[in-house]
Coordinates of all heavy atoms in Angstrom, one line a residue:
M1 N -7.8 -15.1 -7.6 CA -7.6 -13.7 -7.8 C -6.4 -13.2 -7.1 O -6.0 -13.7 -6.1 CB -8.9 -13.0 -7.3 CG -10.1 -13.2 -8.2 SD -11.5 -12.1 -8.1 CE -11.6 -11.6 -6.4
T2 N -5.9 -12.1 -7.6 CA -4.7 -11.4 -7.0 C -5.2 -10.6 -5.8 O -6.4 -10.4 -5.6 CB -4.0 -10.5 -8.0 OG1 -4.9 -9.4 -8.3 CG2 -3.6 -11.2 -9.3
D3 N -4.2 -10.2 -5.0 CA -4.6 -9.3 -3.9 C -5.3 -8.1 -4.3 O -6.3 -7.7 -3.7 CB -3.3 -8.9 -3.1 CG -2.6 -10.0 -2.3 OD1 -3.3 -11.1 -2.1 OD2 -1.5 -9.9 -1.9
L4 N -4.9 -7.4 -5.3 CA -5.5 -6.2 -5.8 C -6.9 -6.5 -6.3 O -7.9 -5.8 -6.0 CB -4.7 -5.5 -6.8 CG -5.2 -4.1 -7.3 CD1 -5.4 -3.2 -6.1 CD2 -4.2 -3.5 -8.3
E5 N -7.1 -7.6 -7.1 CA -8.4 -8.0 -7.5 C -9.4 -8.3 -6.4 O -10.5 -7.9 -6.4 CB -8.3 -9.2 -8.5 CG -7.7 -8.9 -9.8 CD -7.3 -10.1 -10.6 OE1 -7.1 -11.2 -10.0 OE2 -7.3 -10.0 -11.8
N6 N -8.9 -8.9 -5.3 CA -9.7 -9.2 -4.1 C -10.1 -7.9 -3.5 O -11.2 -7.7 -3.0 CB -8.9 -10.0 -3.2 CG -8.9 -11.5 -3.6 OD1 -9.9 -12.0 -4.1 ND2 -7.8 -12.2 -3.3
C7 N -9.2 -6.9 -3.4 CA -9.5 -5.6 -2.8 C -10.6 -4.9 -3.6 O -11.5 -4.3 -3.0 CB -8.2 -4.8 -2.7 SG -7.0 -5.4 -1.5
L8 N -10.4 -4.9 -4.9 CA -11.4 -4.2 -5.7 C -12.8 -4.9 -5.6 O -13.8 -4.2 -5.4 CB -11.0 -4.3 -7.2 CG -9.7 -3.5 -7.5 CD1 -9.3 -3.7 -9.0 CD2 -9.9 -2.0 -7.3
A9 N -12.8 -6.2 -5.5 CA -14.1 -6.9 -5.4 C -14.7 -6.6 -4.0 O -15.9 -6.4 -3.9 CB -13.9 -8.4 -5.5
T10 N -13.9 -6.5 -3.0 CA -14.3 -6.2 -1.6 C -14.9 -4.8 -1.6 O -16.0 -4.6 -0.9 CB -13.2 -6.4 -0.6 OG1 -12.7 -7.7 -0.6 CG2 -13.6 -6.0 0.8
I11 N -14.3 -3.8 -2.2 CA -14.8 -2.5 -2.2 C -16.2 -2.4 -2.8 O -17.2 -1.8 -2.3 CB -13.9 -1.5 -2.9 CG1 -12.6 -1.3 -2.1 CG2 -14.6 -0.1 -3.2 CD1 -11.5 -0.5 -2.9
I12 N -16.4 -3.1 -3.9 CA -17.7 -3.2 -4.6 C -18.7 -3.9 -3.7 O -19.8 -3.4 -3.6 CB -17.5 -3.9 -6.0 CG1 -16.7 -3.0 -6.9 CG2 -18.9 -4.2 -6.6 CD1 -16.2 -3.8 -8.2
E13 N -18.3 -5.0 -3.1 CA -19.3 -5.7 -2.3 C -19.7 -4.9 -1.1 O -20.9 -4.9 -0.7 CB -18.6 -7.0 -1.8 CG -18.5 -8.1 -2.9 CD -17.6 -9.3 -2.5 OE1 -17.3 -9.4 -1.3 OE2 -17.2 -10.1 -3.4
V14 N -18.7 -4.2 -0.4 CA -19.1 -3.4 0.7 C -20.0 -2.3 0.3 O -21.0 -2.0 1.0 CB -17.8 -2.8 1.4 CG1 -18.1 -1.7 2.4 CG2 -17.0 -4.0 2.1
F15 N -19.8 -1.6 -0.8 CA -20.7 -0.6 -1.3 C -22.1 -1.1 -1.4 O -23.1 -0.5 -0.9 CB -20.2 0.0 -2.6 CG -21.1 1.1 -3.2 CD1 -21.0 2.4 -2.7 CD2 -22.1 0.7 -4.1 CE1 -21.9 3.4 -3.2 CE2 -23.0 1.7 -4.6 CZ -22.8 3.0 -4.2
H16 N -22.3 -2.2 -2.1 CA -23.6 -2.8 -2.3 C -24.2 -3.4 -1.1 O -25.5 -3.4 -1.0 CB -23.6 -3.8 -3.5 CG -23.4 -3.1 -4.8 ND1 -24.4 -2.3 -5.4 CD2 -22.3 -3.1 -5.6 CE1 -23.9 -1.9 -6.5 NE2 -22.7 -2.3 -6.7
K17 N -23.4 -3.8 -0.2 CA -23.9 -4.3 1.1 C -24.8 -3.3 1.8 O -25.8 -3.6 2.4 CB -22.8 -4.8 2.0 CG -23.1 -5.2 3.4 CD -21.9 -5.6 4.2 CE -22.1 -5.8 5.6 NZ -20.8 -6.1 6.3
Y18 N -24.4 -2.0 1.7 CA -25.1 -0.9 2.4 C -26.0 -0.2 1.4 O -27.1 0.2 1.9 CB -24.0 0.1 3.0 CG -23.3 -0.6 4.1 CD1 -22.1 -1.2 3.9 CD2 -23.8 -0.6 5.4 CE1 -21.4 -1.8 4.9 CE2 -23.1 -1.2 6.4 CZ -21.9 -1.8 6.2 OH -21.3 -2.4 7.2
S19 N -25.7 -0.1 0.1 CA -26.6 0.7 -0.8 C -27.9 -0.1 -1.1 O -28.9 0.6 -1.4 CB -25.8 0.9 -2.1 OG -25.6 -0.2 -2.9
E20 N -27.9 -1.4 -0.9 CA -29.1 -2.2 -1.2 C -30.1 -2.2 -0.1 O -31.2 -2.8 -0.2 CB -28.7 -3.6 -1.6 CG -27.9 -3.7 -2.9 CD -27.4 -5.0 -3.2 OE1 -27.4 -5.9 -2.3 OE2 -27.0 -5.2 -4.4
K21 N -29.8 -1.5 1.0 CA -30.7 -1.6 2.2 C -32.0 -0.8 2.0 O -33.0 -1.3 2.5 CB -30.0 -1.1 3.5 CG -28.9 -2.0 3.9 CD -28.3 -1.7 5.2 CE -27.3 -2.7 5.6 NZ -27.1 -2.9 7.0
E22 N -32.0 0.3 1.3 CA -33.2 1.1 1.1 C -33.1 2.0 -0.1 O -32.0 2.3 -0.5 CB -33.5 1.9 2.4 CG -32.4 2.9 2.8 CD -32.7 3.6 4.1 OE1 -33.3 4.7 4.0 OE2 -32.4 3.1 5.1
G23 N -34.2 2.3 -0.7 CA -34.2 3.2 -1.9 C -33.4 2.6 -3.1 O -33.4 1.4 -3.3
D24 N -32.7 3.5 -3.8 CA -32.0 3.1 -5.0 C -30.8 2.2 -4.6 O -29.9 2.6 -3.8 CB -31.4 4.4 -5.7 CG -30.8 4.1 -7.0 OD1 -30.3 3.0 -7.2 OD2 -30.7 5.0 -7.8
K25 N -30.8 1.0 -5.1 CA -29.8 0.0 -4.7 C -28.4 0.3 -5.2 O -27.4 -0.3 -4.9 CB -30.2 -1.4 -5.0 CG -30.2 -1.7 -6.5 CD -30.6 -3.1 -6.7 CE -30.5 -3.5 -8.2 NZ -30.8 -4.9 -8.5
H26 N -28.3 1.4 -6.1 CA -27.0 1.8 -6.7 C -26.4 3.0 -6.0 O -25.5 3.6 -6.5 CB -27.1 1.9 -8.2 CG -27.6 0.6 -8.8 ND1 -26.7 -0.5 -8.9 CD2 -28.7 0.3 -9.4 CE1 -27.4 -1.4 -9.6 NE2 -28.6 -1.0 -9.9
K27 N -27.1 3.5 -5.0 CA -26.7 4.7 -4.3 C -26.8 4.6 -2.8 O -27.7 3.9 -2.3 CB -27.5 5.9 -4.8 CG -27.3 6.3 -6.3 CD -28.1 7.5 -6.6 CE -27.9 7.8 -8.1 NZ -28.6 9.1 -8.5
L28 N -25.9 5.3 -2.1 CA -26.0 5.3 -0.6 C -26.8 6.5 -0.2 O -26.5 7.7 -0.6 CB -24.6 5.4 0.0 CG -23.7 4.2 -0.2 CD1 -22.3 4.5 0.1 CD2 -24.2 3.0 0.7
K29 N -27.8 6.3 0.6 CA -28.5 7.4 1.3 C -27.6 7.9 2.4 O -26.6 7.1 2.8 CB -29.8 7.0 1.9 CG -30.9 6.6 0.8 CD -32.1 6.1 1.5 CE -33.3 6.4 0.9 NZ -34.0 7.6 0.8
K30 N -27.8 9.0 3.0 CA -27.0 9.5 4.1 C -26.9 8.5 5.2 O -25.8 8.2 5.8 CB -27.5 10.8 4.6 CG -26.5 11.5 5.6 CD -27.1 12.8 6.2 CE -27.4 13.8 5.1 NZ -27.8 15.1 5.7
S31 N -28.0 7.9 5.6 CA -28.1 6.9 6.7 C -27.2 5.7 6.3 O -26.6 5.1 7.2 CB -29.5 6.5 7.0 OG -30.1 5.9 5.9
E32 N -27.3 5.2 5.1 CA -26.5 4.1 4.6 C -25.0 4.4 4.6 O -24.2 3.6 5.1 CB -26.9 3.6 3.2 CG -28.3 3.1 3.2 CD -28.8 2.9 1.8 OE1 -28.5 3.7 0.9 OE2 -29.6 2.0 1.5
L33 N -24.6 5.6 4.2 CA -23.2 6.0 4.2 C -22.7 6.1 5.7 O -21.6 5.6 6.0 CB -23.1 7.4 3.6 CG -21.6 7.9 3.6 CD1 -20.7 7.0 2.8 CD2 -21.6 9.3 3.0
K34 N -23.5 6.6 6.6 CA -23.1 6.7 8.0 C -22.9 5.3 8.5 O -21.9 5.0 9.2 CB -24.2 7.4 8.8 CG -23.8 7.6 10.2 CD -24.9 8.3 11.0 CE -24.5 8.5 12.5 NZ -25.5 9.2 13.3
E35 N -23.8 4.4 8.2 CA -23.7 3.0 8.7 C -22.4 2.3 8.1 O -21.7 1.6 8.8 CB -24.9 2.2 8.4 CG -24.9 0.8 8.9 CD -26.2 0.0 8.6 OE1 -27.1 0.5 8.0 OE2 -26.2 -1.2 9.0
L36 N -22.2 2.5 6.8 CA -21.0 2.0 6.2 C -19.7 2.5 6.9 O -18.9 1.7 7.2 CB -21.0 2.3 4.7 CG -19.9 1.8 3.8 CD1 -20.3 1.7 2.4 CD2 -18.6 2.6 3.9
L37 N -19.7 3.8 7.0 CA -18.5 4.4 7.7 C -18.3 3.9 9.1 O -17.2 3.6 9.5 CB -18.5 5.9 7.6 CG -18.5 6.5 6.2 CD1 -18.7 8.1 6.4 CD2 -17.2 6.2 5.5
T38 N -19.4 3.8 9.8 CA -19.3 3.4 11.2 C -18.8 1.9 11.4 O -18.0 1.6 12.2 CB -20.7 3.5 11.9 OG1 -21.1 4.9 11.8 CG2 -20.6 3.1 13.4
H39 N -19.3 1.1 10.5 CA -19.0 -0.4 10.6 C -17.7 -0.7 9.8 O -17.0 -1.7 10.2 CB -20.1 -1.2 10.1 CG -21.3 -1.2 11.0 ND1 -22.5 -0.6 10.7 CD2 -21.4 -1.6 12.3 CE1 -23.3 -0.7 11.7 NE2 -22.7 -1.3 12.7
E40 N -17.4 -0.1 8.7 CA -16.3 -0.5 7.9 C -15.0 0.4 8.1 O -13.9 -0.1 7.8 CB -16.7 -0.4 6.4 CG -17.9 -1.2 6.1 CD -17.7 -2.7 6.2 OE1 -16.6 -3.2 6.2 OE2 -18.8 -3.4 6.4
L41 N -15.2 1.6 8.6 CA -14.0 2.4 8.9 C -14.1 3.0 10.4 O -14.1 4.2 10.6 CB -13.9 3.6 7.9 CG -13.6 3.2 6.5 CD1 -13.8 4.4 5.6 CD2 -12.2 2.7 6.4
P42 N -14.2 2.1 11.3 CA -14.4 2.6 12.7 C -13.3 3.5 13.2 O -13.5 4.4 14.0 CB -14.6 1.3 13.5 CG -13.9 0.3 12.7 CD -14.1 0.7 11.3
S43 N -12.1 3.2 12.8 CA -10.9 4.0 13.3 C -11.0 5.5 12.8 O -10.6 6.4 13.5 CB -9.6 3.4 12.8 OG -9.4 2.2 13.3
L44 N -11.6 5.6 11.6 CA -11.8 7.0 11.1 C -13.0 7.7 11.7 O -12.9 8.8 12.2 CB -12.1 6.9 9.6 CG -12.3 8.2 8.8 CD1 -11.1 9.0 8.8 CD2 -12.9 7.9 7.4
T45 N -14.1 6.9 11.9 CA -15.3 7.6 12.4 C -15.3 7.8 13.9 O -16.1 8.6 14.4 CB -16.6 6.8 12.0 OG1 -16.5 5.4 12.5 CG2 -16.8 6.8 10.5
E46 N -14.4 7.1 14.6 CA -14.4 7.4 16.1 C -14.0 8.8 16.4 O -14.2 9.3 17.5 CB -13.5 6.4 16.8 CG -12.0 6.6 16.5 CD -11.2 5.5 17.1 OE1 -11.7 4.4 17.5 OE2 -9.9 5.7 17.2
H47 N -13.4 9.5 15.4 CA -12.9 10.9 15.6 C -14.0 11.9 15.2 O -13.9 13.1 15.4 CB -11.7 11.1 14.8 CG -10.5 10.3 15.2 ND1 -9.9 10.4 16.4 CD2 -9.9 9.2 14.6 CE1 -9.0 9.5 16.6 NE2 -9.0 8.7 15.5
V48 N -15.1 11.4 14.6 CA -16.2 12.2 14.2 C -17.2 12.3 15.3 O -17.8 11.3 15.7 CB -16.9 11.7 12.9 CG1 -18.1 12.6 12.5 CG2 -15.9 11.6 11.7
K49 N -17.3 13.5 15.9 CA -18.1 13.6 17.2 C -19.5 14.2 16.9 O -20.3 14.1 17.8 CB -17.3 14.5 18.2 CG -16.0 13.9 18.5 CD -16.0 12.6 19.2 CE -14.7 12.1 19.6 NZ -14.6 10.7 19.8
D50 N -19.7 14.8 15.8 CA -21.0 15.5 15.6 C -21.6 15.2 14.2 O -20.9 14.8 13.3 CB -20.9 17.0 15.8 CG -19.9 17.6 14.9 OD1 -19.3 16.9 14.0 OD2 -19.8 18.9 15.0
Q51 N -22.9 15.3 14.1 CA -23.6 15.1 12.9 C -23.3 16.1 11.8 O -23.2 15.7 10.6 CB -25.2 15.1 13.2 CG -26.0 14.8 12.0 CD -25.9 13.4 11.5 OE1 -25.7 12.5 12.3 NE2 -25.9 13.2 10.2
A52 N -22.9 17.3 12.2 CA -22.5 18.3 11.2 C -21.3 17.9 10.4 O -21.3 18.1 9.2 CB -22.3 19.6 11.9
T53 N -20.4 17.2 11.0 CA -19.2 16.7 10.3 C -19.6 15.7 9.2 O -19.1 15.7 8.1 CB -18.2 16.1 11.2 OG1 -17.8 17.1 12.2 CG2 -16.9 15.6 10.5
L54 N -20.5 14.8 9.6 CA -21.0 13.7 8.7 C -21.8 14.4 7.5 O -21.6 14.0 6.4 CB -21.8 12.7 9.4 CG -22.3 11.5 8.5 CD1 -21.1 10.7 7.9 CD2 -23.2 10.6 9.3
D55 N -22.6 15.4 7.9 CA -23.4 16.1 6.9 C -22.5 16.8 5.9 O -22.7 16.8 4.7 CB -24.3 17.1 7.5 CG -25.4 16.4 8.3 OD1 -25.7 15.2 8.1 OD2 -26.0 17.1 9.1
S56 N -21.4 17.4 6.4 CA -20.4 18.1 5.5 C -19.7 17.1 4.6 O -19.5 17.4 3.4 CB -19.4 18.8 6.4 OG -18.4 19.4 5.6
L57 N -19.4 15.9 5.1 CA -18.7 14.9 4.3 C -19.7 14.5 3.2 O -19.3 14.4 2.0 CB -18.4 13.7 5.2 CG -17.9 12.4 4.4 CD1 -16.6 12.7 3.6 CD2 -17.7 11.3 5.3
M58 N -20.9 14.2 3.5 CA -21.9 13.8 2.5 C -22.1 14.8 1.4 O -22.1 14.5 0.3 CB -23.3 13.5 3.2 CG -24.3 13.0 2.3 SD -24.0 11.4 1.7 CE -25.4 11.0 0.8
E59 N -22.1 16.1 1.8 CA -22.3 17.2 0.9 C -21.1 17.3 -0.1 O -21.2 17.5 -1.3 CB -22.5 18.5 1.6 CG -23.9 18.7 2.2 CD -24.0 20.0 3.0 OE1 -23.3 20.9 2.7 OE2 -24.9 20.0 3.9
S60 N -19.9 17.1 0.5 CA -18.7 17.2 -0.3 C -18.6 16.0 -1.3 O -18.0 16.1 -2.4 CB -17.4 17.3 0.6 OG -17.2 16.1 1.3
L61 N -19.1 14.8 -0.9 CA -19.1 13.6 -1.8 C -20.1 13.7 -2.9 O -20.0 13.2 -3.9 CB -19.3 12.4 -1.0 CG -18.2 11.9 0.0 CD1 -18.7 10.7 0.8 CD2 -16.9 11.7 -0.7
D62 N -21.2 14.4 -2.6 CA -22.4 14.4 -3.5 C -22.2 15.4 -4.7 O -22.7 16.5 -4.7 CB -23.6 14.8 -2.7 CG -24.9 14.7 -3.5 OD1 -24.9 14.1 -4.5 OD2 -25.9 15.3 -3.0
A63 N -21.3 15.0 -5.6 CA -20.9 15.8 -6.7 C -22.1 16.2 -7.6 O -22.1 17.4 -8.1 CB -19.9 15.1 -7.6
D64 N -23.1 15.4 -7.7 CA -24.2 15.7 -8.6 C -25.4 16.3 -7.9 O -26.5 16.6 -8.5 CB -24.7 14.5 -9.4 CG -25.2 13.3 -8.6 OD1 -25.3 13.5 -7.3 OD2 -25.4 12.3 -9.1
G65 N -25.3 16.5 -6.6 CA -26.4 17.2 -5.8 C -27.7 16.5 -5.6 O -28.7 17.1 -5.4
D66 N -27.7 15.1 -5.7 CA -28.9 14.4 -5.6 C -29.2 13.9 -4.1 O -30.1 13.1 -3.9 CB -29.0 13.2 -6.6 CG -28.0 12.1 -6.3 OD1 -27.1 12.3 -5.4 OD2 -28.0 11.1 -7.0
S67 N -28.3 14.3 -3.2 CA -28.4 13.9 -1.8 C -28.2 12.5 -1.5 O -28.6 11.9 -0.5 CB -29.8 14.3 -1.2 OG -30.0 15.7 -1.3
E68 N -27.5 11.8 -2.5 CA -27.1 10.4 -2.3 C -25.7 10.3 -2.8 O -25.2 11.1 -3.5 CB -28.1 9.5 -3.1 CG -29.5 9.5 -2.5 CD -30.4 8.5 -3.3 OE1 -30.4 8.6 -4.5 OE2 -31.1 7.8 -2.6
C69 N -25.1 9.2 -2.5 CA -23.7 8.9 -2.9 C -23.7 7.7 -3.8 O -23.9 6.6 -3.4 CB -22.9 8.7 -1.6 SG -21.1 8.4 -1.9
D70 N -23.4 8.0 -5.1 CA -23.3 6.9 -6.0 C -21.9 6.2 -5.9 O -21.0 6.7 -5.2 CB -23.6 7.3 -7.5 CG -22.7 8.3 -8.1 OD1 -21.5 8.4 -7.7 OD2 -23.1 9.1 -9.0
F71 N -21.7 5.2 -6.7 CA -20.4 4.5 -6.6 C -19.2 5.3 -7.0 O -18.2 5.2 -6.3 CB -20.4 3.2 -7.4 CG -19.3 2.3 -7.2 CD1 -19.1 1.6 -6.0 CD2 -18.2 2.2 -8.1 CE1 -18.0 0.8 -5.8 CE2 -17.1 1.4 -7.9 CZ -17.0 0.7 -6.7
Q72 N -19.4 6.1 -8.0 CA -18.2 7.0 -8.4 C -17.9 8.0 -7.3 O -16.7 8.2 -7.0 CB -18.5 7.7 -9.7 CG -17.4 8.5 -10.2 CD -17.6 9.1 -11.6 OE1 -18.5 8.6 -12.3 NE2 -16.8 10.1 -11.9
E73 N -18.9 8.6 -6.7 CA -18.7 9.5 -5.6 C -18.0 8.8 -4.4 O -17.1 9.3 -3.7 CB -20.0 10.2 -5.2 CG -20.5 11.1 -6.3 CD -22.0 11.5 -6.1 OE1 -22.7 10.7 -5.4 OE2 -22.4 12.5 -6.6
F74 N -18.5 7.6 -4.1 CA -17.9 6.7 -3.0 C -16.5 6.4 -3.3 O -15.6 6.5 -2.4 CB -18.7 5.4 -2.9 CG -18.2 4.5 -1.9 CD1 -18.2 4.7 -0.5 CD2 -17.6 3.3 -2.3 CE1 -17.7 3.8 0.4 CE2 -17.1 2.4 -1.4 CZ -17.1 2.7 -0.1
M75 N -16.2 6.1 -4.6 CA -14.8 5.8 -4.9 C -13.9 7.0 -4.8 O -12.7 6.9 -4.5 CB -14.7 5.2 -6.3 CG -15.1 3.7 -6.4 SD -14.3 2.7 -5.2 CE -12.6 2.8 -5.7
T76 N -14.4 8.2 -5.0 CA -13.6 9.4 -4.8 C -13.2 9.5 -3.4 O -12.1 9.8 -3.0 CB -14.4 10.6 -5.2 OG1 -14.7 10.5 -6.6 CG2 -13.7 11.9 -5.0
F77 N -14.2 9.2 -2.5 CA -13.9 9.2 -1.0 C -12.8 8.1 -0.7 O -11.9 8.4 0.0 CB -15.2 8.9 -0.2 CG -15.0 8.7 1.2 CD1 -14.6 9.7 2.1 CD2 -15.1 7.4 1.7 CE1 -14.4 9.5 3.4 CE2 -14.9 7.2 3.1 CZ -14.6 8.2 3.9
V78 N -13.0 6.9 -1.2 CA -12.1 5.8 -0.9 C -10.7 6.2 -1.4 O -9.7 6.0 -0.7 CB -12.6 4.5 -1.5 CG1 -11.5 3.4 -1.5 CG2 -13.8 4.0 -0.9
T79 N -10.6 6.8 -2.5 CA -9.3 7.2 -3.1 C -8.7 8.3 -2.2 O -7.5 8.2 -1.9 CB -9.5 7.8 -4.5 OG1 -10.1 6.7 -5.3 CG2 -8.2 8.2 -5.1
M80 N -9.5 9.3 -1.8 CA -8.9 10.3 -0.9 C -8.4 9.8 0.4 O -7.3 10.1 0.9 CB -9.9 11.4 -0.7 CG -10.3 12.2 -1.9 SD -11.5 13.6 -1.7 CE -12.6 13.1 -0.4
V81 N -9.1 8.9 1.0 CA -8.7 8.2 2.3 C -7.5 7.4 2.1 O -6.5 7.4 2.9 CB -9.9 7.4 2.9 CG1 -9.4 6.6 4.1 CG2 -11.0 8.3 3.3
T82 N -7.4 6.7 1.0 CA -6.3 5.8 0.7 C -5.0 6.7 0.5 O -3.9 6.4 1.0 CB -6.5 5.0 -0.6 OG1 -7.7 4.2 -0.4 CG2 -5.4 4.0 -0.9
I83 N -5.1 7.8 -0.3 CA -4.0 8.7 -0.5 C -3.5 9.3 0.9 O -2.3 9.3 1.1 CB -4.4 9.8 -1.4 CG1 -4.5 9.3 -2.9 CG2 -3.3 10.9 -1.4 CD1 -5.2 10.2 -3.9
C84 N -4.5 9.7 1.7 CA -4.1 10.2 3.0 C -3.4 9.2 3.9 O -2.4 9.5 4.5 CB -5.3 10.7 3.8 SG -6.0 12.2 3.1
C85 N -3.9 8.0 3.9 CA -3.2 6.9 4.6 C -1.8 6.6 4.1 O -0.9 6.4 4.8 CB -4.0 5.6 4.6 SG -5.6 5.7 5.5
H86 N -1.7 6.6 2.8 CA -0.4 6.3 2.1 C 0.6 7.4 2.6 O 1.8 7.1 2.9 CB -0.5 6.3 0.6 CG 0.8 6.1 -0.1 ND1 1.5 7.1 -0.6 CD2 1.5 4.9 -0.3 CE1 2.6 6.6 -1.2 NE2 2.6 5.3 -1.0
E87 N 0.2 8.7 2.5 CA 1.1 9.8 2.9 C 1.4 9.7 4.3 O 2.6 10.0 4.7 CB 0.4 11.1 2.5 CG 0.3 11.4 1.0 CD -0.4 12.6 0.7 OE1 -1.0 13.3 1.6 OE2 -0.5 13.0 -0.5
F88 N 0.5 9.4 5.2 CA 0.7 9.3 6.6 C 1.8 8.2 6.9 O 2.8 8.5 7.6 CB -0.5 8.9 7.4 CG -0.3 8.6 8.8 CD1 -0.2 9.7 9.7 CD2 -0.1 7.3 9.3 CE1 0.1 9.5 11.1 CE2 0.1 7.1 10.7 CZ 0.2 8.2 11.6
F89 N 1.6 7.0 6.3 CA 2.6 5.9 6.5 C 3.9 6.2 5.9 O 5.0 5.8 6.4 CB 2.0 4.6 6.1 CG 0.9 4.1 7.0 CD1 -0.4 3.9 6.4 CD2 1.1 3.9 8.3 CE1 -1.4 3.5 7.2 CE2 0.0 3.5 9.1 CZ -1.2 3.3 8.6
E90 N 3.9 6.9 4.8 CA 5.2 7.3 4.1 C 6.0 8.2 5.0 O 7.2 8.1 5.0 CB 4.8 8.0 2.8 CG 6.0 8.0 1.8 CD 5.5 8.5 0.4 OE1 4.9 9.6 0.4 OE2 5.7 7.8 -0.6
H91 N 5.3 9.1 5.7 CA 6.0 10.1 6.5 C 6.4 9.5 7.9 O 7.2 10.0 8.6 CB 5.2 11.3 6.7 CG 5.1 12.2 5.5 ND1 3.9 12.3 4.8 CD2 6.0 12.8 4.8 CE1 4.1 13.1 3.8 NE2 5.4 13.4 3.7
H92 N 5.8 8.4 8.2 CA 6.1 7.8 9.5 C 6.7 6.4 9.4 O 6.8 5.7 10.4 CB 4.7 7.6 10.3 CG 4.2 8.9 10.7 ND1 3.3 9.7 9.9 CD2 4.4 9.7 11.8 CE1 3.0 10.8 10.5 NE2 3.6 10.8 11.7
E93 N 7.2 6.0 8.3 CA 7.8 4.7 8.1 C 9.1 4.6 8.8 O 9.5 3.4 9.2 CB 8.0 4.4 6.6 CG 9.0 5.3 5.9 CD 9.0 5.0 4.4 OE1 8.4 4.0 4.0 OE2 9.6 5.8 3.6
D94 N 9.8 5.6 9.1 CA 11.1 5.6 9.8 C 11.0 5.6 11.3 O 12.0 5.4 12.1 CB 12.0 6.7 9.4 CG 12.4 6.6 7.9 OD1 12.4 5.5 7.4 OD2 12.6 7.7 7.3
E95 N 9.8 5.8 11.8 CA 9.6 5.9 13.3 C 9.5 4.5 13.9 O 9.1 3.5 13.4 CB 8.3 6.7 13.6 CG 8.5 8.1 13.2 CD 7.3 9.0 13.4 OE1 6.3 8.5 14.0 OE2 7.3 10.1 12.9

């Protein structure tokens, strides 16, 4: 597989690694999303100091209002984080 194909497969595997822990195996409960972010994006979550911030993130991702994060909602988050990282590195590449 190509690098990009491996990355896509990894994103899917990571989502299901956490979504299959409890309840609907195709959606992340708030606790599963928190665990995923803590273990898979520690550099990002080390800056989150309170539960209210995590709750706000979950609410903003939950486009359909079911209090869970499906794969499409998760991918919206991954896309937003990727765009932010790209912009950050683009602006700091000369430093």
Side-chain angles (χ1 to χ4, degrees):
M1 288 196 326
T2 68
D3 287 346
L4 186 55
E5 289 169 331
N6 282 326
C7 290
L8 295 172
T10 299
I11 290 171
I12 294 167
E13 289 170 11
V14 166
F15 177 85
H16 287 290
K17 175 180 171 181
Y18 292 92
S19 70
E20 293 176 345
K21 291 189 175 208
E22 54 184 270
D24 186 336
K25 67 179 185 175
H26 300 290
K27 295 182 178 184
L28 293 164
K29 294 175 147 291
K30 189 185 298 185
S31 60
E32 293 168 326
L33 178 62
K34 182 178 180 180
E35 185 178 359
L36 183 155
L37 295 175
T38 302
H39 291 112
E40 304 295 335
L41 292 172
S43 297
L44 179 70
T45 56
E46 70 185 16
H47 300 289
V48 177
K49 302 297 182 199
D50 59 0
Q51 183 65 36
T53 302
L54 183 62
D55 291 343
S56 176
L57 172 62
M58 183 68 175
E59 287 175 25
S60 67
L61 293 177
D62 187 17
D64 61 6
D66 67 353
S67 298
E68 294 180 313
C69 181
D70 64 26
F71 188 73
Q72 184 171 341
E73 293 164 337
F74 176 70
M75 284 307 301
T76 299
F77 170 73
V78 170
T79 301
M80 292 183 327
V81 170
T82 304
I83 290 168
C84 289
C85 289
H86 179 263
E87 289 175 357
F88 174 82
F89 291 120
E90 198 172 55
H91 290 113
H92 292 88
E93 66 186 349
D94 296 331
E95 293 177 8

